[in-house]
Amino acid sequence: MKTKTIKLHVWRQSGPNDAGRFETYTAENVTEHMSFLEMLDDLNEKLIADGKDPIAFDHDCREGICGMCSMVINGYAHGPDERTTTCQIHMRHVFDRGWDEVWIEPWRATSFPIRKDLIVDRTALDKIIQAGGYISIRTGSARDANEAPIPKPIADRAFDAATCIGCGACVAACPNASASLFTAAKVGHLALLPQGQAERMSRVKSMVATMDELGFGGCTNHGECEKACPKGISIDFIASMNRDLLKSLVVDRGDAEAPDEGA
Amino acid sequence: MATKALTLYDTTIGKKAVMAASGIILLGFTLGHLSGNLKAYAGPTEFNEYARWLRTMPALLWGARLALIFAFSAHIYSAFSLWRRNKSARPNRYQKKVDLATDYAAKTMYLSGPILLFYVLFHLVHLTFGGQLFGDGTIFGIEGYTWEASNPYNNLVHGFQHWPIVIPYVLGNLALGVHLFHGIWSMFQSIGANHPRYNQYRRDLAIMLAALLTIGNLSFPIAVMAGYLEPTTLRFNFPELL
Amino acid sequence: MELKSHEPTGPIEQRWTEHKAHSKLVAPHNRRKHTVIVVGSGLAGGAAAATMGELGYKVKCFCYQDSPRRAHSIAAQGGINAAKNYQNDGDSVFRLFYDTVKGGDFRARESNVYRLAELSTAIIDQAVAQGVPFAREYGGLLANRSFGGAQVSRTFYARGQTGQQLLLGAYSALERQIAAGSVKMYPRTEMLDLIVYEGRARGIVTRDMVTGKIEAHVADVVVLATGGYGNVFYLSTNAKGCNTTATWRAHRKGALFANPCYTQIHPTCIPRSGETQSKLTLMSESLRNDGRVWVPRKPEDCDKDPKSIPEKDRYYFLEERYPAFGNLVPRDVASRNAMYVCENDHLGVGPKIPGEPRRGVYLDFADAISRLGKHTVVERYGNLFEMYERITGDDPVETPMKIYPATHYTMGGLWVDYNLESTIPGLFVGGEANFSDHGANRLGASALMQGLADGYFVLPFSVGNYLGELRTPPALEEDDAVCKDAVREVKARLTKLIEAPAAKHGPDHFHRLLGNIIWKYCGMSRSRDGLKDALKQIPELREQFYREVKVVPNKDETLNQTLERASRVADFFELGELMCLDALTREESCGGHFRTEHQVDGEAKRDDEKFQHAAAWEWSGDASKPVRHEEQLTFEYVKPTMRSYK
Ligand SMILES: Cc1cc2nc3c(=O)[nH]c(=O)nc-3n(C[C@H](O)[C@H](O)[C@H](O)COP(=O)(O)OP(=O)(O)OC[C@H]3O[C@@H](n4cnc5c(N)ncnc54)[C@H](O)[C@@H]3O)c2cc1C
Ligand code: SF4
Ligand code: FES
């Protein structure tokens, strides 16, 4: 079993108002079977034993689906492996890259304020969903699920968009810290389905306006998000969202209100 | 939820759409401009006749100029406001950041854009307003390069015999190529002109157009310096219109 | 204490309808006056919060993750059952009910299970209407598969991400209500205690995980949907944050905890690879449809390249022992047999970890590949293969997978009646957090179904019924003495952890040790002596924990992940002890609970005479001396038979 010592430069920041800085640690006896986060767990246990503040980082499922983990590793959002979240990086692959030194940073974006160390606040993404990332269907009022067949290719494509885990790597990787891929994934998922048509125009308007209001940058078509996205969501969905938005504002001017729940 | 009435331009996507639309106008002009200039290869008479013809239609000329001014302003203003926004979306930069998808062209739009702008201004001063500005004197103080009011062909060819004209021209056109390489593809994306079946061709088209324009434009200084295009001794006479 | 199930009587297929028809309601204009707390935003909590918000209640919803979308329901892969009978293969509500009761080894309440089967179809309708992209056939209709050895194809799925898609559906409904102002969401907020006032659940104490602020939230009703307690084993397929704190604290405040020893060990997980392993990864059960499970017949072959081992030297132990079901035997049977071949027969092929038998068996796709072609197999399981390769470095197309059982689901939970109300009035419990529908063993693809049935349909209705009866609860404010006391108590608890006298190790150290004990003695197979041993070890370790746990930073009013973990581990200690006690008291084998003393030919032997009941434990003030109560179970529609998969 291969073992290695790895030098880590980790962003430490005690709270939102702290300026933050890198600190250097040595992770010893890192084995090829460990995951990247297990390496940090191990380091943290040692820090705790030494009475030092362990590195705070977000994680939960550790199987690439909850979207909680979030680190920029040596300049790559979620690390260098394609379609892989931070929690799914295994040291085997880090060894293969010959890395002895690793820089770990949080997602950096105005809309994702840092809470502590590598933990950022991503509630802005929830707010974008609140603006219309849903189909307004009252519980219990649905018709039979098989009443409206959906061609398989359309359903599959909708799935490709729906698979977004809301991790925010797209924002982290984007040179403009834009949330376009995240927003487009939801817009695209619902716009493709017959159920999503009724609110299609109001949805895209409201979600895009909210994305902008929250201080994310605008898309300038670099395509970095698509590469960083652990679910491989295509920037074609951004183009489709753009088209829908233009349509909603130019062709179908209609009502620019978000769907009103009349709470 | 009360959302204020949204206008297209309020959104970042709207701004990109404005950039795409104005970009199309500017691209169209650049193509037209090149195809006109290619007449130089047909000879001085043809070229000058074309220039004269343009000036006999002030409505078209001014219409086009107004459209261009409008497109330029919209393009630049939108670019500027997006740039400001995007800067503030990430004030703290990464210590390390690896780019996986973006390319030189995309990353330097905010560089190639201003270079282009300066070049266009230079180009206008040089060939469009040259007559007014330099009268019968030398152009930009370049010795031996004098303005011939009724001979645009010579104004062009003579110019490319001088490095101070060639260098900005080459730089400007390289910036144009780079700008268009990303800009054309980006335009499709921004207005949502995408379809799984054709998406792969969008890149190809961008490369083709960018290459065509850059190579086409750069051919003139090369042709002049290689002696393929030479000043003419013919005399022309047509009204000086602007 | 007498446990009243409050289940309706009469023909089973009418019970739910009748029950609804005769229950109390709250008029729309009165609903705004009632505050409802929902702890948890998974399928059960998210769906309940969204639905009650939509109905007009003032809902406060809590979760410990940074967004409700990340609840652990997100990780469910395989699918969700529903008695739609879209495949015309003879499925029906009754059959799903029957299968679930039988699958649970006759340890669940019939009325609840029937209602679950009945509601299953509406869940699919609801999800599709929300835009959940279930798999479809070329004709555009919904696709189904047979799951976990079921005789009918009733499982709906969305690639390997069914839980994610269903949760995102519920989450979108929830976000819609948040936008509408009817639900207020409290992410990164952990419930640390329950507030009971005049005999009713009236609020919770929470800790803001960013600022560390501890405060009380008051409501007319509290709903817990905080998921399962599988992480008591330290290693499980659950997310790292899954915990028992919410349910355990409610238990300590008077809610009975039922059948804690019923845990499900899933046979197809990636084996543990070393000491520092932090969690285990599930490989969907669907793999057993095409993969064959085997180990070498001779221990000396365990080190060889599996492909070089000839057919005759391979021990397809499931196929040989269970010819009728083969590789598709239920989860507990598959798991236990894998354990036997590794631990008793020493034929395991898992990673070598010092001081442990090699734990792991092959799951081989070579036959499926030669029969169906590589393309088809990869199309079916491609994403699982990728996941496996990422973790282990091996490609299952080239070399057999290695799998080993891991804790996956907990059938036990807070005791609830037919209305999902616990023994504390006004405290409702849904999803994996309650004990209700799966008896001693859960069928594949039915946890998602239960979570959503509870969340969309049962809880909103039951809460209405409760409030309709209660009308106006006695006034209670956040700054009343009860609440302040509760807050003080929580603070004291955390301080005790922070100020451990001989602080030495972080909480994970103790969690690992606890997990080892539970896994060893209260895992796939349990014995009287082992359990007694565990019952001695756990309190000792717990004492050591309180003495030596080290929390850094040593303050609570800040973001402090060590403190979060320490507080959860503290509760796992008490729960772990109760599990062992429950397992020891249940002198029979049933479902996921296998007692070595109670078996015939290696198969589980139930004792219906003595144990046809749910065991519900009452907190007595001493973690080692809880009081056991029983709810007798009656089976009118599905007659208990011995489960046999031979
Ligand atoms: C890997 C895996 C695969 C699975 N696959 C399937 C499958 O294919 N089919 C199937 O039917 N079932 C499957 N299951 C089981 C099923 O996913 C779960 O039983 C079910 O999703 C639980 O839903 P829930 O709503 O009860 O809880 P969860 O989804 O776990 O939600 C718990 C919620 O409670 C919150 N919470 C917990 N504690 C606290 C606290 N103290 N304070 C505040 N909030 C708290 C959490 O933040 C979360 O929001 C699988 C389980 C796992 C682990
Ligand atoms: S689009 Fe991709 S990168 Fe962005 S949030 Fe979704 S999964 Fe993450
Ligand atoms: S921890 Fe859930 S995706 Fe990484």
Side-chain angles (χ1 to χ4, degrees):
Chain A
M1 188 166 50
K2 265 191 265 171
T3 351
K4 239 178 148 172
T5 299
I6 295 196
K7 196 172 197 189
L8 299 171
H9 305 277
V10 185
W11 183 258
R12 303 303 306 261
Q13 182 173 338
S14 63
N17 301 322
D18 180 18
R21 77 219 75 89
F22 281 96
E23 270 174 33
T24 307
Y25 302 91
T26 317
E28 274 154 4
N29 296 322
V30 180
T31 77
E32 58 180 330
H33 293 305
M34 281 179 157
S35 72
F36 192 82
L37 295 186
E38 282 163 3
M39 170 180 70
L40 292 182
D41 289 343
D42 202 46
L43 175 63
N44 272 346
E45 284 210 43
K46 288 183 186 125
L47 290 176
I48 293 172
D50 291 348
K52 296 197 185 114
D53 195 5
I55 301 158
F57 60 90
D58 264 332
H59 65 103
D60 200 28
C61 73
R62 296 211 175 180
E63 49 184 80
I65 193 75
C66 75
M68 189 102 174
C69 58
S70 42
M71 293 178 194
V72 173
I73 298 168
N74 268 356
Y76 301 89
H78 279 316
D81 302 347
E82 246 180 70
R83 295 200 180 201
T84 302
T85 53
T86 300
C87 60
Q88 288 177 297
I89 303 173
H90 280 260
M91 293 315 290
R92 175 179 314 111
H93 301 293
V94 175
F95 288 6
D96 289 349
R97 280 175 200 273
W99 287 356
D100 303 311
E101 197 168 350
V102 177
W103 293 76
I104 309 177
E105 300 179 64
W107 286 173
R108 293 191 192 276
T110 305
S111 315
F112 289 169
I114 293 178
R115 289 287 167 242
K116 185 176 180 187
D117 300 345
L118 304 169
I119 295 183
V120 300
D121 183 341
R122 284 170 288 192
T123 33
L125 297 182
D126 289 324
K127 295 212 176 99
I128 294 176
I129 301 294
Q130 279 157 31
Y134 46 75
I135 289 169
S136 300
I137 172 82
R138 228 187 317 282
T139 304
S141 61
R143 59 178 174 169
D144 185 86
N146 249 354
E147 245 172 59
I150 302 175
K152 185 168 158 53
I154 304 255
D156 283 348
R157 212 171 138 62
F159 194 102
D160 290 340
T163 181
C164 164
I165 60 174
C167 60
C170 44
V171 179
C174 173
N176 308 328
S178 169
S180 291
L181 191 62
F182 169 81
T183 311
K186 190 42 72 190
V187 167
H189 159 211
L190 298 177
L192 279 161
L193 297 173
Q195 305 92 299
Q197 296 312 307
E199 296 162 294
R200 180 168 174 179
M201 292 297 145
S202 57
R203 174 184 307 121
V204 68
K205 271 187 284 205
S206 176
M207 287 182 72
V208 167
T210 306
M211 164 181 92
D212 284 347
E213 272 167 29
L214 290 165
F216 291 104
C219 176
T220 53
N221 305 319
H222 287 281
E224 283 298 315
C225 51
E226 179 183 75
K227 285 283 183 222
C229 175
K231 296 293 144 183
I233 291 170
S234 160
I235 50 172
D236 290 351
F237 287 110
I238 298 185
S240 305
M241 168 173 78
N242 294 345
R243 187 172 56 214
D244 266 15
L245 181 80
L246 298 182
K247 232 201 268 169
S248 77
L249 291 170
V250 180
V251 185
D252 160 286
R253 280 221 42 114
D255 164 22
E257 295 277 306
D260 187 16
E261 299 306 321
Chain B
M1 173 196 303
T3 314
K4 59 176 192 300
L6 191 65
T7 62
L8 175 61
Y9 196 69
D10 286 339
T11 63
T12 47
I13 296 175
K15 290 193 170 76
K16 279 300 276 184
V18 168
M19 292 192 65
S22 52
I24 292 176
I25 297 176
L26 296 172
L27 174 67
F29 167 75
T30 325
L31 283 167
H33 184 276
L34 171 66
S35 68
N37 283 355
L38 285 175
K39 291 210 162 39
Y41 292 112
T45 320
E46 294 279 329
F47 186 83
N48 283 344
E49 179 52 30
Y50 166 70
R52 195 194 63 80
W53 173 80
L54 274 182
R55 289 174 184 223
T56 56
M57 308 215 285
L60 180 85
L61 190 66
W62 276 103
R65 282 179 176 169
L66 282 177
L68 283 175
I69 291 172
F70 180 74
F72 257 114
S73 322
H75 201 78
I76 294 168
Y77 181 76
S78 304
F80 181 71
S81 77
L82 273 171
W83 173 78
R84 243 193 8 208
R85 211 198 141 80
N86 292 346
K87 282 286 140 212
S88 74
R90 176 172 300 121
N92 296 318
R93 313 238 288 176
Y94 290 104
Q95 173 82 18
K96 279 204 153 198
K97 181 73 177 66
V98 179
D99 293 322
L100 290 168
T102 192
D103 48 38
Y104 182 77
K107 282 195 290 185
T108 54
M109 291 302 271
Y110 290 113
L111 191 67
S112 58
I115 293 180
L116 258 181
L117 175 65
F118 283 119
Y119 173 68
V120 167
L121 292 175
F122 170 79
H123 193 64
L124 286 175
V125 169
H126 173 203
L127 291 175
T128 309
F129 303 108
Q132 273 79 8
L133 293 174
F134 305 111
D136 292 329
T138 58
I139 296 173
F140 296 122
I142 299 168
E143 205 151 328
Y145 185 22
T146 50
W147 188 254
E148 293 178 49
S150 295
N151 196 348
Y153 178 83
N154 268 6
N155 291 339
L156 173 98
V157 176
H158 272 306
F160 288 139
Q161 291 175 329
H162 301 284
W163 287 112
I165 300 291
V166 173
I167 289 170
Y169 185 87
V170 170
L171 287 179
N173 274 293
L174 287 177
L176 177 71
V178 172
H179 203 75
L180 287 179
F181 170 76
H182 177 71
I184 294 174
W185 179 82
S186 182
M187 190 170 78
F188 285 110
Q189 194 65 11
S190 293
I191 58 172
N194 77 323
H195 188 285
R197 211 171 315 151
Y198 307 117
N199 280 352
Q200 61 187 96
Y201 302 121
R202 296 185 303 177
R203 265 282 176 222
D204 300 346
L205 188 68
I207 295 173
M208 222 178 65
L209 282 175
L212 177 81
L213 279 162
T214 318
I215 295 169
N217 284 342
L218 289 182
S219 74
F220 299 109
I222 294 170
V224 171
M225 302 197 105
Y228 182 72
L229 286 180
E230 290 182 314
T232 174
T233 49
L234 294 173
R235 292 273 148 237
F236 297 88
N237 197 7
F238 53 83
E240 176 104 24
L241 292 165
L242 257 184
Chain C
M1 182 185 298
E2 197 198 342
L3 291 169
K4 290 208 194 80
S5 71
H6 295 123
E7 57 192 311
T9 47
I12 198 156
E13 57 290 346
Q14 292 193 354
R15 288 182 190 169
W16 177 234
T17 315
E18 281 292 307
H19 180 68
K20 281 196 293 186
H22 296 107
S23 295
K24 293 270 189 313
L25 298 171
V26 181
H29 65 278
N30 281 330
R31 293 186 200 141
R32 284 307 292 160
K33 297 179 192 153
H34 292 293
T35 303
V36 178
I37 282 177
V38 178
V39 190
S41 63
L43 289 182
T51 304
M52 289 192 280
E54 186 178 78
L55 283 169
Y57 296 106
K58 232 163 97 185
V59 179
K60 289 176 157 192
C61 183
F62 298 80
C63 72
Y64 71 75
Q65 294 92 344
D66 68 336
S67 161
R69 67 181 292 152
R70 311 204 200 282
H72 194 52
S73 296
I74 202 96
Q77 302 170 346
I80 176 168
N81 287 332
K84 281 284 197 186
N85 193 27
Y86 282 159
Q87 303 304 322
N88 193 30
D89 56 359
D91 198 12
S92 64
V93 168
F94 189 87
R95 196 175 285 278
L96 176 54
F97 155 70
Y98 177 92
D99 288 353
T100 309
V101 171
K102 181 166 175 253
D105 220 359
F106 306 93
R107 291 294 175 263
R109 201 184 285 143
E110 275 192 336
S111 306
N112 283 57
V113 179
Y114 195 91
R115 175 178 64 192
L116 174 63
E118 192 178 333
L119 290 172
S120 66
T121 59
I123 294 170
I124 302 303
D125 298 341
Q126 181 69 20
V128 167
Q130 287 169 339
V132 170
F134 282 125
R136 286 179 184 269
E137 297 161 352
Y138 280 97
L141 298 180
L142 292 160
N144 292 111
R145 63 181 170 205
S146 155
F147 201 69
Q151 313 277 328
V152 290
S153 291
R154 61 160 77 100
T155 304
F156 293 78
Y157 61 100
R159 294 193 195 155
Q161 286 143 261
T162 317
Q164 180 200 27
Q165 293 308 317
L166 288 169
L167 182 63
L168 292 183
Y171 159 78
S172 70
L174 180 63
E175 292 298 308
R176 175 170 159 247
Q177 293 308 318
I178 294 172
S182 58
V183 177
K184 180 150 173 43
M185 189 70 218
Y186 295 82
R188 290 203 202 265
T189 308
E190 187 164 19
M191 165 180 167
L192 294 182
D193 217 337
L194 180 75
I195 296 173
V196 180
Y197 180 59
E198 296 194 351
R200 292 175 190 273
R202 288 300 305 278
I204 59 174
V205 180
T206 59
R207 179 169 179 275
D208 180 322
M209 295 159 76
V210 177
T211 63
K213 186 160 189 252
I214 295 166
E215 59 185 342
H217 295 267
V218 162
D220 298 347
V221 171
V222 177
V223 176
L224 297 188
T226 50
Y229 52 86
N231 272 353
V232 66
F233 290 87
Y234 184 68
L235 287 180
S236 83
T237 63
N238 284 5
K240 290 295 284 175
C242 291
N243 64 88
T244 186
T245 292
T247 46
W248 191 255
R249 289 290 144 189
H251 170 62
R252 289 181 57 130
K253 283 283 153 80
L256 300 201
F257 208 111
N259 303 333
C261 78
Y262 290 164
T263 51
Q264 183 169 76
I265 314 269
H266 198 291
T268 48
C269 301
I270 300 179
R272 190 163 83 101
S273 68
E275 310 271 325
T276 52
Q277 183 107 16
S278 62
K279 83 151 265 161
L280 296 168
T281 303
L282 174 80
M283 295 272 96
S284 168
E285 182 154 45
S286 59
L287 290 171
R288 282 200 283 147
N289 289 340
D290 286 307
R292 297 180 71 193
V293 177
W294 64 277
V295 287
R297 279 193 195 279
K298 300 180 244 165
E300 61 270 25
D301 280 355
C302 292
D303 274 330
K304 285 196 188 144
D305 174 6
K307 280 180 294 182
S308 72
I309 301 175
E311 213 40 46
K312 68 171 176 35
D313 290 337
R314 297 179 177 195
Y315 182 19
Y316 294 94
F317 54 95
L318 292 179
E319 293 172 23
E320 283 183 28
R321 292 182 190 171
Y322 305 92
F325 284 78
N327 295 299
L328 292 174
V329 290
R331 291 177 177 176
D332 55 318
V333 179
S335 296
R336 211 154 38 238
N337 281 282
M339 180 186 71
Y340 290 151
V341 295
C342 296
E343 297 197 352
N344 303 353
D345 310 339
H346 299 285
L347 298 172
V349 294
K352 290 178 186 155
I353 302 174
E356 294 179 21
R358 291 178 68 181
R359 296 190 172 107
V361 300
Y362 290 124
L363 181 62
D364 198 340
F365 292 89
D367 277 2
I369 290 171
S370 63
R371 183 165 35 95
L372 305 163
K374 185 173 148 184
H375 180 77
T376 311
V377 174
V378 169
E379 196 179 57
R380 266 184 211 170
Y381 307 111
N383 59 339
L384 293 166
F385 286 6
E386 258 175 48
M387 181 152 117
Y388 180 84
E389 184 170 2
R390 202 171 359 228
I391 294 175
T392 63
D394 289 339
D395 177 3
V397 174
E398 299 300 324
T399 182
M401 266 185 184
K402 288 175 193 156
I403 53 161
Y404 199 68
T407 306
H408 175 61
Y409 185 86
T410 51
M411 281 76 68
L414 291 180
W415 184 92
V416 289
D417 66 5
Y418 187 71
N419 294 314
L420 305 187
E421 190 173 8
S422 72
T423 48
I424 302 176
L427 177 69
F428 292 80
V429 191
E432 195 174 335
N434 73 24
F435 89 117
S436 76
D437 298 350
H438 307 294
N441 194 21
R442 175 177 71 80
L443 290 184
S446 58
L448 300 180
M449 167 171 78
Q450 184 225 334
L452 288 176
D454 288 358
Y456 284 130
F457 303 111
V458 186
L459 287 166
F461 171 78
S462 301
V463 165
N465 180 29
Y466 172 82
L467 289 171
E469 219 162 67
L470 174 73
R471 304 222 176 186
T472 329
L476 183 67
E477 302 278 333
E478 269 92 12
D479 47 15
D480 284 347
V482 215
C483 299
K484 282 190 172 156
D485 287 349
V487 168
R488 212 172 300 124
E489 226 178 273
V490 167
K491 279 198 175 146
R493 224 163 73 211
L494 297 182
T495 309
K496 190 174 165 197
L497 294 169
I498 291 171
E499 293 175 357
K504 206 188 262 167
H505 305 286
D508 285 9
H509 169 79
F510 299 97
H511 196 171
R512 247 186 233 119
L513 293 175
L514 171 69
N516 285 345
I517 299 177
I518 310 272
W519 179 247
K520 188 161 171 204
Y521 299 111
C522 200
M524 279 178 275
S525 126
R526 300 136 182 210
S527 72
R528 193 172 301 127
D529 293 343
L531 289 164
K532 282 189 175 151
D533 210 5
L535 285 169
K536 232 175 69 225
Q537 290 183 30
I538 295 172
E540 283 167 14
L541 186 62
R542 183 171 57 223
E543 258 176 51
Q544 194 194 349
F545 166 78
Y546 277 108
R547 224 174 26 245
E548 294 180 1
V549 68
K550 189 162 187 175
V551 175
V552 187
N554 57 356
K555 53 182 181 214
D556 68 41
E557 300 223 322
T558 180
L559 197 160
N560 190 339
Q561 293 182 313
T562 323
L563 179 62
E564 290 161 19
R565 288 203 300 273
S567 134
R568 290 172 194 160
V569 175
D571 292 331
F572 277 133
F573 266 111
E574 296 180 356
L575 169 77
E577 191 174 355
L578 185 66
M579 281 172 71
C580 295
L581 190 58
D582 187 43
L584 180 66
T585 327
R586 188 168 283 279
E587 291 280 357
E588 65 162 350
S589 294
C590 62
H593 169 64
F594 187 82
R595 280 284 300 270
T596 51
E597 298 89 354
H598 305 284
Q599 51 179 320
V600 259
D601 306 338
E603 296 310 308
K605 188 162 157 271
R606 273 198 337 258
D607 184 346
D608 288 344
E609 200 129 305
K610 289 210 204 99
F611 288 98
Q612 193 167 298
H613 61 240
W617 297 86
E618 185 185 356
W619 176 255
S620 69
D622 177 347
S624 305
K625 296 197 180 67
V627 183
R628 190 173 191 270
H629 300 273
E630 291 171 7
E631 180 201 340
Q632 281 307 319
L633 300 168
T634 48
F635 293 91
E636 295 172 63
Y637 291 86
V638 191
K639 289 292 161 217
T641 48
M642 267 304 167
R643 239 172 29 136
S644 170
Y645 293 95
K646 286 275 179 186

